[in-house]
Amino acid sequence: MEITELARQVIAGNRRALARAITLVESVRSDHREQATALMEEIGRSGRQALRLGLSGTPGVGKSTFIESFGMMLIREGLKVAVLAVDPSSSRSGGSILGDKTRMEYLSREKNAFIRPSPSRSELGGVARRTREAVALCEAAGYDLILIETVGVGQSETVVAEMSDVFLLLLAPAGGDELQGVKRGIMEMADIILVNKADGDLKAAAQRTRADYAGALRLLRKRPQDPEGFPKAMTVSALEEKGLATAWQEMQALVAWRRENGFFDRRRAEQAEYWFGQEIRYGLLGQLEREPYKSLIGTLAAKVAAGESTPGNAAAEVLRALRQDAG
């Protein structure tokens, strides 16, 4: 299928074409990268915009259960929901289980839902390298809300904030030591902290944890992009579907305030600038994986391992070679 036709079918809402387009942008083949760039140019003309929700949290906190309950609630309201779930890849084989779709049994059957698991391929920041392009494709396909679920590995997962409008941090009920497990970096990025599993025997513990985080958030520096009362901590029960409607109202209120005060568009512009810089970095690193730099790096790596050169001197030599070729 030619790129123009693929873009047309994505914009028309064809789910199979959307899946194929995401596969194309995730490919690392050089010819596919050229096609993917052309595709992104085509779909960029659609002008569609969806609400992007980033979701992070520790493993076992119930992210998949939350997404299914939350997504089903939104679909009942008449919205179309896309879920981009990033699973950790094996550092040995590069493979990934990609089990998120099987855990969202009901949501995966909905015609107004699209679930796409992707391997992280050892990318840092909790998201796959091409998740941003996948988000843009889902927007062009007419989805109203896009949920970006990170791999769930902890405080390094702040990159998702560079591709979302609202960043949710999902946590489980625990004692006071729970605050030690979530470091300042990711808390400063969060717009709303949701303490999940606020049901049954854990309900009281969830309320205490919410109070702990609410207190911790008050100690953080006030951000200009937040109205009064944000960021905030809330309790939800994905299992019993309690608190989800209230959380959704708070997300909408936050987005509406940011739109009215110019922060929404400004943040989107800053994110575009951030990813422009990232693409340059990826391109430069890709150059080093090709000849003659690949052989040069291999030779210098052997010298460093043998103690004949320092890592700093060896790296400087590679950079000199890059500058000479560019000049």
Side-chain angles (χ1 to χ4, degrees):
M1 187 186 301
E2 65 175 24
I3 295 303
T4 303
E5 176 61 16
L6 180 59
R8 188 191 68 78
Q9 291 197 20
V10 168
I11 293 170
N14 185 311
R15 291 160 61 95
R16 184 170 292 184
L18 175 58
R20 186 170 179 178
I22 294 176
T23 299
L24 177 64
V25 300
E26 287 180 342
S27 175
V28 295
R29 279 176 42 176
S30 58
D31 58 330
H32 285 175
R33 287 309 312 149
E34 290 178 10
Q35 292 175 334
T37 301
L39 175 64
M40 297 309 296
E41 286 287 336
E42 290 279 346
I43 65 103
R45 301 191 184 107
S46 71
R48 290 175 177 168
Q49 197 175 75
L51 178 60
R52 306 170 183 174
L53 295 182
L55 178 66
S56 185
T58 51
V61 75
K63 292 195 296 296
S64 295
T65 305
F66 171 80
I67 290 172
E68 175 156 74
S69 297
F70 187 62
M72 291 297 291
M73 180 192 75
L74 296 175
I75 285 173
R76 287 192 292 269
E77 291 186 9
L79 299 177
K80 293 183 68 178
V81 179
V83 179
L84 302 175
V86 183
D87 276 1
S89 298
S90 166
S91 58
R92 180 176 297 178
S93 67
S96 188
I97 296 174
L98 304 179
D100 285 284
K101 194 166 185 176
T102 61
R103 290 195 293 269
M104 302 175 196
E105 181 182 358
Y106 297 106
L107 190 62
S108 61
R109 298 175 186 171
E110 289 288 333
K111 63 181 175 70
N112 286 328
F114 176 82
I115 303 174
R116 173 72 180 213
S118 299
S120 65
R121 291 195 176 96
S122 301
E123 286 289 319
L124 297 178
V127 293
R129 177 172 170 180
R130 297 297 170 186
T131 300
R132 181 183 59 86
E133 282 98 329
V135 168
L137 288 167
C138 290
E139 282 187 319
Y143 287 90
D144 302 299
L145 184 136
I146 302 166
L147 267 161
I148 309 157
E149 180 196 359
T150 68
V151 296
V153 293
Q155 70 188 85
S156 68
E157 303 198 7
T158 52
V159 175
V160 70
E162 296 295 342
M163 61 179 74
S164 56
D165 304 312
V166 177
F167 183 25
L168 308 175
L169 181 59
L170 200 63
L171 299 170
D177 288 343
E178 174 74 3
L179 277 172
Q180 301 299 320
V182 179
K183 302 302 181 186
R184 182 168 179 147
I186 198 167
M187 282 192 65
E188 285 182 328
M189 307 298 286
D191 295 307
I192 300 175
I193 291 178
L194 298 175
V195 182
N196 193 24
K197 304 185 180 181
D199 47 56
D201 296 337
L202 291 174
K203 190 170 184 178
Q207 293 290 356
R208 288 194 299 271
T209 303
R210 187 210 65 79
D212 287 343
Y213 281 106
L217 288 172
R218 284 193 291 271
L219 298 175
L220 297 178
R221 186 175 58 190
K222 177 72 175 173
R223 305 182 306 185
Q225 72 268 30
D226 292 330
E228 192 63 37
F230 283 89
K232 62 174 55 181
M234 308 174 66
T235 57
V236 295
S237 170
L239 190 64
E240 296 182 354
E241 300 185 11
K242 291 180 179 177
L244 300 181
T246 304
W248 174 230
Q249 289 170 2
E250 294 290 353
M251 294 175 213
Q252 289 177 296
L254 176 61
V255 170
W257 186 90
R258 286 178 174 172
R259 284 187 187 276
E260 290 170 9
N261 291 274
F263 289 104
F264 188 91
D265 291 335
R266 191 182 310 165
R267 183 63 182 141
R268 285 273 179 116
E270 289 171 353
Q271 290 173 345
E273 190 175 340
Y274 170 85
W275 288 107
F276 165 66
Q278 289 297 102
E279 284 298 326
I280 293 174
R281 292 181 182 91
Y282 287 139
L284 289 172
L285 289 173
Q287 268 191 277
L288 297 178
E289 294 172 0
R290 296 191 291 270
E291 297 296 350
Y293 307 110
K294 188 175 181 179
S295 297
L296 175 61
I297 289 171
T299 301
L300 292 171
K303 288 184 177 181
V304 170
E308 298 172 8
S309 180
T310 65
N313 284 335
E317 192 169 335
V318 174
L319 294 175
R320 276 197 298 272
L322 275 172
R323 284 196 296 268
Q324 287 171 1
D325 288 350

